[in-house]
Amino acid sequence: HQKRAQKGGVGIFDESLREQLLREIRLRDHLENAIHRHELFLVFQPILEAKTNRIAAVEALLRWRLDNEYIPPDEFINIAEQYGFIKPIGLWVLGEACMAGKRLQQLVPDLSVCVNVSIQQLLDENFPEDVKATLERTGFRPENLHLEITESLFAHDKHRLIENISRLKKVGIEVSIDDFGTGYSSLSVMQEFDVDLVKIDRTFIWTMDQGGRAIVEAVSQIASSFGYQVVAEGVETEEQKQILTDMGIDYLQGYLFLHPVTEEEMVEHLNIQAS
Ligand code: C2E
Ligand code: MG
Ligand code: MG
Ligand code: MG
């Protein structure tokens, strides 16, 4: 890339960089009004208890359809964070997830709902109150709400995070560390932050035949010794499922069981399980 840019002045590198910037600006401009335009919606993916194969929880995953194009969350969440839209969007997601969770609990009364939150939300001093207010407004039970945090927690104001997590725990919800093992200092996270659950990153699950297995095993053992429950995400094959179950991993999530689906499809799926 570098070479082309240097040689031609305005080479392919500049062109693709320009396109990337234009796309980002276009997405930013649309994302600001995406909630009001009803372009955002949630899909749900089940999390199974490994021992029983029972659906214990669903993870709410945000989708954005813009002019018949699906923008991947890894792309637009980033833009939302960068341009200051993540707090209103995150709060909207939380409300929608709790309302959907309430409806799905008519089929599975103790179903939990996992919601991804951005570190910016977690750093906001109003966040614990916002969560509490959302639970009250929707009537969703706090103990069934799990908030998933991805980013390396140590890169931010530690005192604020510890305080907000502790305030959230007082509201009665559970907190999970998502994509565990990919961030910096992840092992000390377990010691310093009062979390309930760790989700081992899917890249480790996919490389269990090339050494990833030792990592999954180690993380799982350490997590258990701290009293945390463990979820393996990205489970795609029967073989992975077997290995993880034998290892004593508590919960499994992945395409092997179900892709993320709409609420209607999730209802059908839960109905089949119940019958
Ligand atoms: P995540 O929280 O780690 O979510 C799991 C991602 O893995 C989802 O991608 C899911 O569709 C995908 N996945 C699940 N099982 C499998 C599998 O077996 N194989 C493969 N290849 N993939 C699997 P998705 O929906 O594209 O979301 C990507 C990321 O975007 C999420 O990763 C999360 O960090 C973020 N995200 C999604 N919704 C929200 C949201 O409402 N708020 C925030 N802050 N972030 C969100
Ligand atoms: Mg997640
Ligand atoms: Mg994850
Ligand atoms: Mg992630």
Side-chain angles (χ1 to χ4, degrees), residues 74 116 150 178-179 201-202 233:
D74 283 323
N116 295 284
T150 295
D178 205 348
D179 303 339
D201 191 68
R202 49 189 196 251
E233 62 175 18

PDB file of all heavy atoms in Angstrom, residues 74 116 150 178-179 201-202 233, ligand 4:
ATOM      1  N   ASP A  74     -19.631  -4.638  14.245  1.00  0.00           N
ATOM      2  CA  ASP A  74     -18.242  -4.296  14.535  1.00  0.00           C
ATOM      3  C   ASP A  74     -17.862  -2.973  13.872  1.00  0.00           C
ATOM      4  O   ASP A  74     -16.992  -2.263  14.354  1.00  0.00           O
ATOM      5  CB  ASP A  74     -17.298  -5.420  14.070  1.00  0.00           C
ATOM      6  CG  ASP A  74     -17.325  -6.600  15.032  1.00  0.00           C
ATOM      7  OD1 ASP A  74     -17.424  -6.353  16.253  1.00  0.00           O
ATOM      8  OD2 ASP A  74     -17.272  -7.754  14.573  1.00  0.00           O
ATOM      9  N   ASN A 116     -24.867  -6.435  25.383  1.00  0.00           N
ATOM     10  CA  ASN A 116     -23.516  -5.891  25.268  1.00  0.00           C
ATOM     11  C   ASN A 116     -23.528  -4.406  25.609  1.00  0.00           C
ATOM     12  O   ASN A 116     -24.380  -3.666  25.123  1.00  0.00           O
ATOM     13  CB  ASN A 116     -22.996  -6.066  23.837  1.00  0.00           C
ATOM     14  CG  ASN A 116     -22.825  -7.532  23.488  1.00  0.00           C
ATOM     15  OD1 ASN A 116     -21.876  -8.180  23.916  1.00  0.00           O
ATOM     16  ND2 ASN A 116     -23.767  -8.064  22.724  1.00  0.00           N
ATOM     17  N   THR A 150     -16.698  -5.751  26.859  1.00  0.00           N
ATOM     18  CA  THR A 150     -15.633  -6.348  26.054  1.00  0.00           C
ATOM     19  C   THR A 150     -14.265  -5.757  26.310  1.00  0.00           C
ATOM     20  O   THR A 150     -13.299  -6.468  26.505  1.00  0.00           O
ATOM     21  CB  THR A 150     -15.950  -6.183  24.552  1.00  0.00           C
ATOM     22  OG1 THR A 150     -17.107  -6.928  24.277  1.00  0.00           O
ATOM     23  CG2 THR A 150     -14.810  -6.708  23.704  1.00  0.00           C
ATOM     24  N   ASP A 178     -16.693 -10.162  28.233  1.00  0.00           N
ATOM     25  CA  ASP A 178     -16.852 -10.752  26.896  1.00  0.00           C
ATOM     26  C   ASP A 178     -15.487 -10.898  26.227  1.00  0.00           C
ATOM     27  O   ASP A 178     -14.541 -10.213  26.601  1.00  0.00           O
ATOM     28  CB  ASP A 178     -17.729  -9.801  26.072  1.00  0.00           C
ATOM     29  CG  ASP A 178     -18.473 -10.493  24.951  1.00  0.00           C
ATOM     30  OD1 ASP A 178     -18.154 -11.658  24.645  1.00  0.00           O
ATOM     31  OD2 ASP A 178     -19.379  -9.857  24.387  1.00  0.00           O
ATOM     32  N   ASP A 179     -15.402 -11.771  25.247  1.00  0.00           N
ATOM     33  CA  ASP A 179     -14.175 -11.950  24.447  1.00  0.00           C
ATOM     34  C   ASP A 179     -12.963 -12.131  25.350  1.00  0.00           C
ATOM     35  O   ASP A 179     -11.880 -11.586  25.095  1.00  0.00           O
ATOM     36  CB  ASP A 179     -13.936 -10.742  23.522  1.00  0.00           C
ATOM     37  CG  ASP A 179     -15.120 -10.496  22.616  1.00  0.00           C
ATOM     38  OD1 ASP A 179     -15.905 -11.427  22.408  1.00  0.00           O
ATOM     39  OD2 ASP A 179     -15.267  -9.366  22.132  1.00  0.00           O
ATOM     40  N   ASP A 201     -13.151 -16.040  24.521  1.00  0.00           N
ATOM     41  CA  ASP A 201     -13.235 -15.564  23.143  1.00  0.00           C
ATOM     42  C   ASP A 201     -13.261 -16.723  22.156  1.00  0.00           C
ATOM     43  O   ASP A 201     -12.576 -17.727  22.313  1.00  0.00           O
ATOM     44  CB  ASP A 201     -12.055 -14.655  22.826  1.00  0.00           C
ATOM     45  CG  ASP A 201     -12.279 -13.946  21.504  1.00  0.00           C
ATOM     46  OD1 ASP A 201     -13.192 -13.108  21.449  1.00  0.00           O
ATOM     47  OD2 ASP A 201     -11.577 -14.264  20.536  1.00  0.00           O
ATOM     48  N   ARG A 202     -14.031 -16.518  21.088  1.00  0.00           N
ATOM     49  CA  ARG A 202     -14.234 -17.606  20.130  1.00  0.00           C
ATOM     50  C   ARG A 202     -12.968 -18.038  19.421  1.00  0.00           C
ATOM     51  O   ARG A 202     -12.855 -19.189  19.008  1.00  0.00           O
ATOM     52  CB  ARG A 202     -15.322 -17.227  19.131  1.00  0.00           C
ATOM     53  CG  ARG A 202     -15.184 -15.863  18.502  1.00  0.00           C
ATOM     54  CD  ARG A 202     -16.463 -15.572  17.724  1.00  0.00           C
ATOM     55  NE  ARG A 202     -16.301 -14.472  16.801  1.00  0.00           N
ATOM     56  CZ  ARG A 202     -16.860 -13.274  16.968  1.00  0.00           C
ATOM     57  NH1 ARG A 202     -17.607 -13.050  18.025  1.00  0.00           N
ATOM     58  NH2 ARG A 202     -16.682 -12.333  16.082  1.00  0.00           N
ATOM     59  N   GLU A 233     -17.956 -19.150  23.627  1.00  0.00           N
ATOM     60  CA  GLU A 233     -18.721 -18.616  22.493  1.00  0.00           C
ATOM     61  C   GLU A 233     -18.089 -19.082  21.185  1.00  0.00           C
ATOM     62  O   GLU A 233     -16.936 -19.506  21.151  1.00  0.00           O
ATOM     63  CB  GLU A 233     -18.816 -17.086  22.555  1.00  0.00           C
ATOM     64  CG  GLU A 233     -17.493 -16.372  22.486  1.00  0.00           C
ATOM     65  CD  GLU A 233     -17.612 -14.845  22.436  1.00  0.00           C
ATOM     66  OE1 GLU A 233     -18.661 -14.289  22.775  1.00  0.00           O
ATOM     67  OE2 GLU A 233     -16.617 -14.224  22.050  1.00  0.00           O
TER      68      GLU A 233
HETATM   69 MG    MG B   4     -16.934  -8.454  20.803  1.00  0.00          MG
END
